[in-house]
Structures are given as structure tokens and as C-alpha cells.
């Protein structure tokens, strides 16, 4: 995935019982191991991944890991829902990099971290990769994650904060990796697509990171002036930051205005 991942678990006591601490450590390790496994399976940059083998014709689709079909079907649905603003087959072969990172974090979080919430001492857990995160809080716990949204125009500064008990946050745009997001819509001949210049930065908050990550990419492709994609997106909130600093925010599919003198600059949660 070309990024850093981390698994976080918050406990009520500073020093959990040894057996609880051992289960926490094992769950964290298992979650990160699963991300490594999924990276090895899906990375188009690794010549031995099944995605690369499918592209090269040395692996038949019917012989591929069933998770590839699961992701492929999700990408087909997303392409239709987004009006073609997302397309994992844009260059004639399957490249799910705009979807699979969020999906992988969501899967690993549900499989390995969510069960920890049944422990009496565990308050919350979260799994992040490249700043995108799936966050969990134990039922009845008096806890909310305070998620800072980085300012894409001022490195090291926080533009907004999101108090979130459960859900996912994903950011997409050129601020960290430069212009790398491609508009896949059929206005160009196959193989001629180029990264979008002057793209905005989008942050999306949703229940699932697979949705948040993918629709943040859709928002960048759509551009700052187009929020029509919200009609077909899952229930989500978020914000767009244009290259010139203009900001648009929405909550549950409806654009909202927040006073610029509000020191918190909160984004409404999902």
C-alpha cells in the first residue's frame, strides 16, 4: 500500500491485566498482518501479486483468490453509482488501488479489533493506513475520537476537527502525494488519462472506510464545483478544500455552512 499503518487500542486502566494485554497485542499484530497479506494480494506494483498476474495473463480469473472477485464487484457498483468518476478498469485492466486500501483496513479492523470491544477494559480501537481510519468505541463507553483534519495548504496545521464515536474518515487529494488522481471518464482515449491538475482535497466521513476512501476519490475527480455525486453516495459528511483555499462542507448529503470564525471548524459527523 506504500504507506504506514497502525493499530490503536484504548483501555480504561493504564495497565490492563496480562491476559487482556496479550489479547490486545495479538489482535493488533493480526490486523497489521492482514494488511500485509492484502497488500501482497492486490498491489499492482508487485509483480507477484494476483492483480499483476491477472493483468499479465498468467493467472485465470477463476483461479484467483475469491476476495478479488468481491472487490471487483464492489468496484463495478461504485463505477455505476459515481457516474464513472471512479473506474477500476480505466486502462483496460483491473486496478483497485482507489478502493482496496479503505476496504482492507475496514476488513482487518472488523476481524481483529472489533472483538476486543467485548473486553471489560477496552474502551475503543482504531486502525489507520496513510491517515485513513476505521474507528470503534465500546457500547456505553464515554469516549469519542477527536480526529484532526490536516490543512492541505498549510503543512502541520489542522483545518477541522471531527468528534467521532464510530465510523471512518478518509482524505484524498494532491497535498501529500502530488497530482496522482486520474479522471477515468471516457473523455480521453484509453491509456491517455492524466492526473488531474489543480484538484481539490476531499475528506469524507462515513460508516465504512471502503465508502469513505472511495467517495473521497470521487469527490476529487468531480472537482470543487460539483457536489451532484452526493445524491448517489452513501450517507456521509465531509469537506472539500480547493487549491485556492475555498471550502465546501456537507452533512448527510446536504451542503452546510459553518461560520469561518468558529475556532473548532467542526465537520458534522456521520
Amino acid at each position: 500500500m506504500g504507506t504506514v499503518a497502525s493499530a490503536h487500542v484504548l483501555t480504561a486502566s493504564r495497565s490492563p491485566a496480562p491476559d487482556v494485554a496479550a489479547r490486545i497485542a495479538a489482535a493488533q499484530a493480526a490486523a497489521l498482518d492482514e494488511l500485509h497479506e492484502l497488500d501482497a494480494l492486490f498491489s499492482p506494483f508487485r509483480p507477484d501479486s494476483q492483480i499483476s498476474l491477472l493483468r499479465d495473463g498468467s493467472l485465470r480469473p477463476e483461479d484467483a483468490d475469491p476476495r478479488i472477485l468481491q472487490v471487483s464487484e464492489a468496484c463495478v457498483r461504485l463505477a455505476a453509482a459515481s457516474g464513472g468518476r471512479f473506474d477500476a478498469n480505466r486502462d483496460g485492466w483491473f486496478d483497485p488501488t482507489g478502493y482496496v486500501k479503505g476496504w482492507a483496513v475496514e476488513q482487518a479492523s472488523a476481524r481483529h479489533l472489533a472483538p476486543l470491544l467485548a473486553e471489560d477494559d477496552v474502551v475503543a480501537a482504531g486502525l489507520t493506513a496513510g491517515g485513513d481510519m476505521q474507528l470503534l468505541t465500546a457500547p456505553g463507553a464515554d469516549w469519542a475520537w477527536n480526529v484532526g483534519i490536516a490543512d492541505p495548504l498549510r503543512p502541520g496545521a489542522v483545518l477541522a476537527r471531527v468528534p467521532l464515536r464510530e465510523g471512518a474518515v478518509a482524505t484524498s487529494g494532491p497535498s501529500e502525494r502530488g497530482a496522482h488522481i486520474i479522471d477515468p471518464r471516457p473523455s480521453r482515449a484509453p491509456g491517455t488519462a492524466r492526473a488531474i491538475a489543480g484538484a481539490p482535497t476531499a475528506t469524507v466521513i462515513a460508516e465504512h472506510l471502503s465508502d469513505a476512501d472511495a467517495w473521497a476519490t470521487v469527490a476529487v475527480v468531480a472537482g470543487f464545483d460539483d457536489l451532484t455525486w452526493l445524491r448517489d453516495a452513501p450517507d456521509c459528511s465531509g469537506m472539500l478544500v480547493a487549491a485556492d483555499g475555498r471550502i465546501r462542507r456537507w452533512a448527510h448529503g446536504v451542503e452546510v455552512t459553518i461560520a469561518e470564525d468558529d475556532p473548532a471548524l467542526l465537520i458534522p459527523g456521520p
Side-chain angles (χ1 to χ4, degrees), residues 82 84-87 90 172-188 192-202 214-226 229 240-243:
S82 67
R85 296 177 180 91
F86 176 95
D87 188 353
R90 65 174 185 271
S172 185
S175 60
E176 296 292 334
R177 296 174 53 195
H180 67 285
I181 296 176
I182 293 171
D183 187 341
R185 288 173 288 187
S187 57
R188 297 179 181 269
T192 65
R194 294 291 183 269
I196 301 169
T201 296
W215 286 93
T217 301
V218 169
V220 173
V221 171
F224 185 80
D225 297 322
D226 181 9
W229 55 270
L240 277 168
V241 183

Short mmCIF file of all heavy atoms in Angstrom, two decimals, residues 82 84-87 90 172-188 192-202 214-226 229 240-243:
data_model
loop_
_atom_site.label_atom_id
_atom_site.label_comp_id
_atom_site.label_asym_id
_atom_site.label_seq_id
_atom_site.Cartn_x
_atom_site.Cartn_y
_atom_site.Cartn_z
N SER A 82 -21.11 6.25 -9.10
CA SER A 82 -20.38 7.52 -9.18
C SER A 82 -20.46 8.17 -10.55
O SER A 82 -19.80 9.18 -10.79
CB SER A 82 -18.90 7.29 -8.82
OG SER A 82 -18.27 6.50 -9.81
N GLY A 84 -19.23 7.05 -13.26
CA GLY A 84 -17.97 6.87 -13.95
C GLY A 84 -16.83 7.70 -13.40
O GLY A 84 -15.72 7.66 -13.93
N ARG A 85 -17.06 8.42 -12.31
CA ARG A 85 -15.96 9.20 -11.71
C ARG A 85 -14.93 8.29 -11.05
O ARG A 85 -13.81 8.70 -10.80
CB ARG A 85 -16.51 10.20 -10.70
CG ARG A 85 -17.43 11.26 -11.31
CD ARG A 85 -18.00 12.17 -10.22
NE ARG A 85 -18.88 13.19 -10.76
CZ ARG A 85 -20.19 13.05 -10.91
NH1 ARG A 85 -20.76 11.88 -10.58
NH2 ARG A 85 -20.93 14.03 -11.38
N PHE A 86 -15.34 7.08 -10.73
CA PHE A 86 -14.43 6.04 -10.28
C PHE A 86 -14.53 4.88 -11.25
O PHE A 86 -15.63 4.47 -11.61
CB PHE A 86 -14.79 5.56 -8.87
CG PHE A 86 -13.95 4.42 -8.38
CD1 PHE A 86 -12.83 4.64 -7.60
CD2 PHE A 86 -14.26 3.10 -8.71
CE1 PHE A 86 -12.04 3.60 -7.17
CE2 PHE A 86 -13.48 2.04 -8.28
CZ PHE A 86 -12.36 2.30 -7.50
N ASP A 87 -13.39 4.35 -11.65
CA ASP A 87 -13.40 3.20 -12.56
C ASP A 87 -12.11 2.42 -12.37
O ASP A 87 -11.03 2.88 -12.74
CB ASP A 87 -13.54 3.65 -14.01
CG ASP A 87 -13.74 2.48 -14.96
OD1 ASP A 87 -13.65 1.32 -14.52
OD2 ASP A 87 -14.00 2.73 -16.16
N ARG A 90 -10.09 1.48 -15.80
CA ARG A 90 -9.99 2.61 -16.72
C ARG A 90 -9.01 2.38 -17.87
O ARG A 90 -9.16 2.93 -18.94
CB ARG A 90 -9.60 3.88 -15.96
CG ARG A 90 -8.22 3.82 -15.35
CD ARG A 90 -7.81 5.15 -14.72
NE ARG A 90 -6.44 5.10 -14.25
CZ ARG A 90 -6.07 4.71 -13.05
NH1 ARG A 90 -6.98 4.33 -12.18
NH2 ARG A 90 -4.80 4.69 -12.70
N SER A 172 -8.49 12.39 0.45
CA SER A 172 -7.88 12.16 -0.85
C SER A 172 -7.56 13.51 -1.49
O SER A 172 -8.30 14.48 -1.32
CB SER A 172 -8.83 11.36 -1.75
OG SER A 172 -8.22 11.03 -2.97
N GLY A 173 -6.47 13.57 -2.21
CA GLY A 173 -6.10 14.81 -2.87
C GLY A 173 -4.62 14.89 -3.11
O GLY A 173 -3.86 13.96 -2.83
N PRO A 174 -4.15 16.02 -3.62
CA PRO A 174 -2.76 16.14 -4.05
C PRO A 174 -1.80 16.61 -2.97
O PRO A 174 -0.60 16.69 -3.23
CB PRO A 174 -2.86 17.19 -5.16
CG PRO A 174 -3.98 18.08 -4.72
CD PRO A 174 -4.97 17.17 -4.04
N SER A 175 -2.27 16.92 -1.76
CA SER A 175 -1.41 17.60 -0.79
C SER A 175 -0.24 16.74 -0.33
O SER A 175 0.84 17.26 -0.06
CB SER A 175 -2.23 18.05 0.43
OG SER A 175 -2.84 16.94 1.07
N GLU A 176 -0.43 15.42 -0.21
CA GLU A 176 0.65 14.55 0.27
C GLU A 176 1.43 13.89 -0.86
O GLU A 176 2.64 13.74 -0.78
CB GLU A 176 0.06 13.46 1.19
CG GLU A 176 -0.58 13.99 2.46
CD GLU A 176 0.43 14.58 3.42
OE1 GLU A 176 1.60 14.16 3.37
OE2 GLU A 176 0.06 15.47 4.21
N ARG A 177 0.73 13.49 -1.91
CA ARG A 177 1.37 12.71 -2.98
C ARG A 177 1.46 13.45 -4.31
O ARG A 177 1.86 12.87 -5.32
CB ARG A 177 0.62 11.39 -3.17
CG ARG A 177 0.64 10.46 -1.97
CD ARG A 177 -0.24 9.25 -2.17
NE ARG A 177 0.08 8.55 -3.40
CZ ARG A 177 -0.72 7.63 -3.95
NH1 ARG A 177 -1.87 7.33 -3.39
NH2 ARG A 177 -0.36 7.02 -5.08
N GLY A 178 1.07 14.72 -4.32
CA GLY A 178 1.07 15.45 -5.58
C GLY A 178 -0.10 15.02 -6.46
O GLY A 178 -0.99 14.29 -6.03
N ALA A 179 -0.10 15.50 -7.68
CA ALA A 179 -1.19 15.18 -8.60
C ALA A 179 -1.08 13.72 -9.04
O ALA A 179 -0.21 13.36 -9.82
CB ALA A 179 -1.14 16.10 -9.81
N HIS A 180 -1.96 12.88 -8.49
CA HIS A 180 -1.89 11.45 -8.81
C HIS A 180 -3.25 10.85 -9.10
O HIS A 180 -3.33 9.68 -9.48
CB HIS A 180 -1.26 10.68 -7.63
CG HIS A 180 -2.10 10.67 -6.40
ND1 HIS A 180 -2.23 11.76 -5.57
CD2 HIS A 180 -2.88 9.70 -5.86
CE1 HIS A 180 -3.03 11.45 -4.57
NE2 HIS A 180 -3.45 10.22 -4.73
N ILE A 181 -4.32 11.61 -8.93
CA ILE A 181 -5.67 11.09 -9.14
C ILE A 181 -6.11 11.38 -10.57
O ILE A 181 -5.98 12.51 -11.05
CB ILE A 181 -6.65 11.69 -8.12
CG1 ILE A 181 -6.25 11.25 -6.71
CG2 ILE A 181 -8.08 11.25 -8.43
CD1 ILE A 181 -7.09 11.85 -5.62
N ILE A 182 -6.63 10.36 -11.22
CA ILE A 182 -6.96 10.43 -12.65
C ILE A 182 -8.47 10.44 -12.83
O ILE A 182 -9.19 9.70 -12.17
CB ILE A 182 -6.33 9.24 -13.39
CG1 ILE A 182 -4.80 9.38 -13.37
CG2 ILE A 182 -6.84 9.13 -14.81
CD1 ILE A 182 -4.08 8.15 -13.87
N ASP A 183 -8.93 11.30 -13.73
CA ASP A 183 -10.34 11.29 -14.12
C ASP A 183 -10.53 10.17 -15.14
O ASP A 183 -10.01 10.25 -16.25
CB ASP A 183 -10.72 12.64 -14.72
CG ASP A 183 -12.21 12.77 -14.99
OD1 ASP A 183 -12.90 11.73 -15.05
OD2 ASP A 183 -12.69 13.91 -15.14
N PRO A 184 -11.28 9.11 -14.76
CA PRO A 184 -11.39 7.95 -15.66
C PRO A 184 -12.52 8.05 -16.67
O PRO A 184 -12.71 7.11 -17.45
CB PRO A 184 -11.66 6.81 -14.67
CG PRO A 184 -12.51 7.47 -13.61
CD PRO A 184 -11.97 8.89 -13.48
N ARG A 185 -13.26 9.14 -16.66
CA ARG A 185 -14.41 9.22 -17.56
C ARG A 185 -13.98 9.21 -19.02
O ARG A 185 -12.87 9.64 -19.35
CB ARG A 185 -15.25 10.45 -17.21
CG ARG A 185 -16.02 10.28 -15.91
CD ARG A 185 -16.71 11.55 -15.47
NE ARG A 185 -15.76 12.55 -14.99
CZ ARG A 185 -16.11 13.69 -14.41
NH1 ARG A 185 -17.40 13.98 -14.25
NH2 ARG A 185 -15.19 14.55 -13.99
N PRO A 186 -14.83 8.73 -19.92
CA PRO A 186 -14.42 8.42 -21.30
C PRO A 186 -14.26 9.64 -22.19
O PRO A 186 -14.58 9.59 -23.37
CB PRO A 186 -15.55 7.51 -21.79
CG PRO A 186 -16.75 7.94 -21.02
CD PRO A 186 -16.22 8.31 -19.67
N SER A 187 -13.75 10.75 -21.66
CA SER A 187 -13.48 11.90 -22.49
C SER A 187 -12.11 11.80 -23.15
O SER A 187 -11.77 12.58 -24.02
CB SER A 187 -13.54 13.18 -21.65
OG SER A 187 -12.63 13.11 -20.57
N ARG A 188 -11.31 10.81 -22.69
CA ARG A 188 -9.99 10.57 -23.27
C ARG A 188 -9.94 9.17 -23.88
O ARG A 188 -10.68 8.29 -23.49
CB ARG A 188 -8.90 10.68 -22.18
CG ARG A 188 -8.78 12.04 -21.55
CD ARG A 188 -7.70 12.02 -20.48
NE ARG A 188 -7.55 13.28 -19.81
CZ ARG A 188 -6.71 14.23 -20.19
NH1 ARG A 188 -5.96 14.04 -21.26
NH2 ARG A 188 -6.60 15.35 -19.52
N THR A 192 -4.68 7.27 -22.22
CA THR A 192 -4.18 8.64 -22.32
C THR A 192 -4.56 9.47 -21.10
O THR A 192 -4.32 10.67 -21.09
CB THR A 192 -4.73 9.34 -23.57
OG1 THR A 192 -6.17 9.47 -23.45
CG2 THR A 192 -4.40 8.55 -24.82
N ALA A 193 -5.18 8.86 -20.10
CA ALA A 193 -5.61 9.62 -18.93
C ALA A 193 -4.41 10.21 -18.20
O ALA A 193 -3.34 9.61 -18.14
CB ALA A 193 -6.40 8.71 -17.99
N ARG A 194 -4.59 11.40 -17.65
CA ARG A 194 -3.54 12.07 -16.91
C ARG A 194 -4.08 12.51 -15.56
O ARG A 194 -5.28 12.73 -15.38
CB ARG A 194 -3.04 13.29 -17.69
CG ARG A 194 -2.34 12.95 -19.00
CD ARG A 194 -1.00 12.26 -18.75
NE ARG A 194 -0.30 11.99 -19.99
CZ ARG A 194 -0.40 10.87 -20.69
NH1 ARG A 194 -1.23 9.91 -20.28
NH2 ARG A 194 0.28 10.69 -21.81
N ALA A 195 -3.18 12.69 -14.60
CA ALA A 195 -3.58 13.14 -13.27
C ALA A 195 -4.22 14.52 -13.37
O ALA A 195 -3.85 15.35 -14.20
CB ALA A 195 -2.36 13.17 -12.36
N ILE A 196 -5.20 14.75 -12.50
CA ILE A 196 -5.96 16.00 -12.51
C ILE A 196 -5.10 17.12 -11.94
O ILE A 196 -4.59 17.02 -10.82
CB ILE A 196 -7.24 15.85 -11.68
CG1 ILE A 196 -8.10 14.71 -12.24
CG2 ILE A 196 -8.03 17.14 -11.66
CD1 ILE A 196 -9.24 14.32 -11.33
N ALA A 197 -4.94 18.19 -12.70
CA ALA A 197 -4.19 19.36 -12.22
C ALA A 197 -5.14 20.26 -11.43
O ALA A 197 -6.31 20.42 -11.79
CB ALA A 197 -3.58 20.12 -13.40
N GLY A 198 -4.65 20.84 -10.35
CA GLY A 198 -5.46 21.75 -9.56
C GLY A 198 -6.60 21.09 -8.83
O GLY A 198 -7.60 21.73 -8.51
N ALA A 199 -6.47 19.80 -8.53
CA ALA A 199 -7.55 19.06 -7.87
C ALA A 199 -7.73 19.55 -6.44
O ALA A 199 -6.77 19.93 -5.77
CB ALA A 199 -7.25 17.57 -7.88
N PRO A 200 -8.96 19.51 -5.93
CA PRO A 200 -9.18 19.83 -4.52
C PRO A 200 -8.78 18.66 -3.63
O PRO A 200 -8.46 17.58 -4.11
CB PRO A 200 -10.70 20.06 -4.46
CG PRO A 200 -11.24 19.14 -5.51
CD PRO A 200 -10.21 19.16 -6.63
N THR A 201 -8.78 18.91 -2.34
CA THR A 201 -8.58 17.85 -1.36
C THR A 201 -9.93 17.56 -0.71
O THR A 201 -10.65 18.49 -0.31
CB THR A 201 -7.56 18.28 -0.29
OG1 THR A 201 -6.30 18.47 -0.92
CG2 THR A 201 -7.43 17.22 0.79
N ALA A 202 -10.28 16.28 -0.62
CA ALA A 202 -11.58 15.89 -0.07
C ALA A 202 -11.40 15.01 1.15
O ALA A 202 -10.57 14.10 1.15
CB ALA A 202 -12.40 15.14 -1.13
N ALA A 214 -13.28 5.55 -1.06
CA ALA A 214 -13.65 5.59 -2.48
C ALA A 214 -14.35 6.89 -2.83
O ALA A 214 -14.04 7.52 -3.87
CB ALA A 214 -14.55 4.40 -2.81
N TRP A 215 -15.26 7.35 -1.99
CA TRP A 215 -16.01 8.56 -2.33
C TRP A 215 -15.19 9.82 -2.12
O TRP A 215 -15.48 10.85 -2.73
CB TRP A 215 -17.34 8.59 -1.58
CG TRP A 215 -18.30 7.61 -2.17
CD1 TRP A 215 -18.51 6.32 -1.78
CD2 TRP A 215 -19.15 7.82 -3.30
NE1 TRP A 215 -19.44 5.72 -2.60
CE2 TRP A 215 -19.86 6.61 -3.53
CE3 TRP A 215 -19.40 8.91 -4.12
CZ2 TRP A 215 -20.78 6.48 -4.56
CZ3 TRP A 215 -20.31 8.78 -5.16
CH2 TRP A 215 -21.00 7.57 -5.37
N ALA A 216 -14.14 9.76 -1.30
CA ALA A 216 -13.21 10.89 -1.26
C ALA A 216 -12.51 11.04 -2.60
O ALA A 216 -12.31 12.16 -3.10
CB ALA A 216 -12.19 10.69 -0.13
N THR A 217 -12.15 9.91 -3.21
CA THR A 217 -11.56 9.96 -4.55
C THR A 217 -12.56 10.48 -5.57
O THR A 217 -12.22 11.30 -6.43
CB THR A 217 -11.07 8.55 -4.96
OG1 THR A 217 -10.10 8.11 -4.01
CG2 THR A 217 -10.45 8.57 -6.34
N VAL A 218 -13.81 10.03 -5.48
CA VAL A 218 -14.85 10.52 -6.38
C VAL A 218 -15.00 12.03 -6.26
O VAL A 218 -15.12 12.75 -7.26
CB VAL A 218 -16.19 9.82 -6.07
CG1 VAL A 218 -17.35 10.51 -6.80
CG2 VAL A 218 -16.13 8.35 -6.44
N ALA A 219 -14.96 12.54 -5.02
CA ALA A 219 -15.11 13.98 -4.80
C ALA A 219 -13.98 14.76 -5.45
O ALA A 219 -14.19 15.85 -6.01
CB ALA A 219 -15.16 14.27 -3.30
N VAL A 220 -12.76 14.24 -5.38
CA VAL A 220 -11.63 14.91 -6.02
C VAL A 220 -11.80 14.93 -7.54
O VAL A 220 -11.58 15.96 -8.20
CB VAL A 220 -10.31 14.22 -5.63
CG1 VAL A 220 -9.14 14.81 -6.41
CG2 VAL A 220 -10.06 14.37 -4.13
N VAL A 221 -12.22 13.81 -8.10
CA VAL A 221 -12.42 13.73 -9.54
C VAL A 221 -13.54 14.68 -9.98
O VAL A 221 -13.44 15.36 -11.01
CB VAL A 221 -12.73 12.29 -9.97
CG1 VAL A 221 -13.17 12.23 -11.43
CG2 VAL A 221 -11.51 11.39 -9.74
N ALA A 222 -14.60 14.76 -9.20
CA ALA A 222 -15.73 15.63 -9.54
C ALA A 222 -15.32 17.09 -9.54
O ALA A 222 -15.81 17.89 -10.34
CB ALA A 222 -16.88 15.40 -8.57
N GLY A 223 -14.41 17.46 -8.63
CA GLY A 223 -13.95 18.84 -8.57
C GLY A 223 -14.70 19.66 -7.54
O GLY A 223 -15.74 19.25 -7.01
N PHE A 224 -14.17 20.81 -7.26
CA PHE A 224 -14.70 21.65 -6.18
C PHE A 224 -16.12 22.12 -6.45
O PHE A 224 -16.92 22.27 -5.53
CB PHE A 224 -13.78 22.86 -5.98
CG PHE A 224 -14.17 23.72 -4.81
CD1 PHE A 224 -13.82 23.36 -3.51
CD2 PHE A 224 -14.89 24.88 -5.01
CE1 PHE A 224 -14.20 24.15 -2.43
CE2 PHE A 224 -15.27 25.68 -3.93
CZ PHE A 224 -14.91 25.31 -2.65
N ASP A 225 -16.45 22.38 -7.70
CA ASP A 225 -17.75 22.99 -8.02
C ASP A 225 -18.88 21.99 -8.20
O ASP A 225 -20.02 22.39 -8.45
CB ASP A 225 -17.62 23.84 -9.29
CG ASP A 225 -16.66 25.01 -9.10
OD1 ASP A 225 -16.66 25.59 -8.00
OD2 ASP A 225 -15.90 25.31 -10.04
N ASP A 226 -18.59 20.70 -8.11
CA ASP A 226 -19.59 19.67 -8.39
C ASP A 226 -19.83 18.81 -7.16
O ASP A 226 -18.98 18.02 -6.77
CB ASP A 226 -19.11 18.80 -9.56
CG ASP A 226 -20.12 17.71 -9.93
OD1 ASP A 226 -21.25 17.73 -9.40
OD2 ASP A 226 -19.76 16.84 -10.75
N TRP A 229 -22.64 14.38 -7.11
CA TRP A 229 -22.39 12.97 -6.79
C TRP A 229 -22.95 12.59 -5.43
O TRP A 229 -23.17 11.41 -5.16
CB TRP A 229 -20.89 12.70 -6.83
CG TRP A 229 -20.08 13.59 -5.95
CD1 TRP A 229 -19.52 14.78 -6.28
CD2 TRP A 229 -19.75 13.37 -4.57
NE1 TRP A 229 -18.86 15.32 -5.20
CE2 TRP A 229 -18.98 14.47 -4.15
CE3 TRP A 229 -20.03 12.33 -3.68
CZ2 TRP A 229 -18.50 14.59 -2.85
CZ3 TRP A 229 -19.54 12.44 -2.38
CH2 TRP A 229 -18.79 13.56 -1.97
N LEU A 240 -14.55 19.76 1.16
CA LEU A 240 -13.66 19.94 0.03
C LEU A 240 -12.86 21.21 0.25
O LEU A 240 -13.41 22.23 0.67
CB LEU A 240 -14.44 20.06 -1.27
CG LEU A 240 -14.89 18.79 -1.99
CD1 LEU A 240 -15.90 19.17 -3.08
CD2 LEU A 240 -13.72 18.07 -2.61
N VAL A 241 -11.57 21.16 -0.05
CA VAL A 241 -10.71 22.33 0.03
C VAL A 241 -10.10 22.55 -1.34
O VAL A 241 -9.36 21.69 -1.84
CB VAL A 241 -9.60 22.16 1.09
CG1 VAL A 241 -8.77 23.43 1.18
CG2 VAL A 241 -10.20 21.80 2.44
N ALA A 242 -10.41 23.69 -1.94
CA ALA A 242 -9.88 23.99 -3.26
C ALA A 242 -8.41 24.41 -3.17
O ALA A 242 -7.91 24.77 -2.10
CB ALA A 242 -10.70 25.11 -3.91
N ALA A 243 -7.74 24.38 -4.30
CA ALA A 243 -6.33 24.77 -4.33
C ALA A 243 -6.13 26.22 -3.92
O ALA A 243 -5.04 26.59 -3.46
CB ALA A 243 -5.76 24.53 -5.74
#
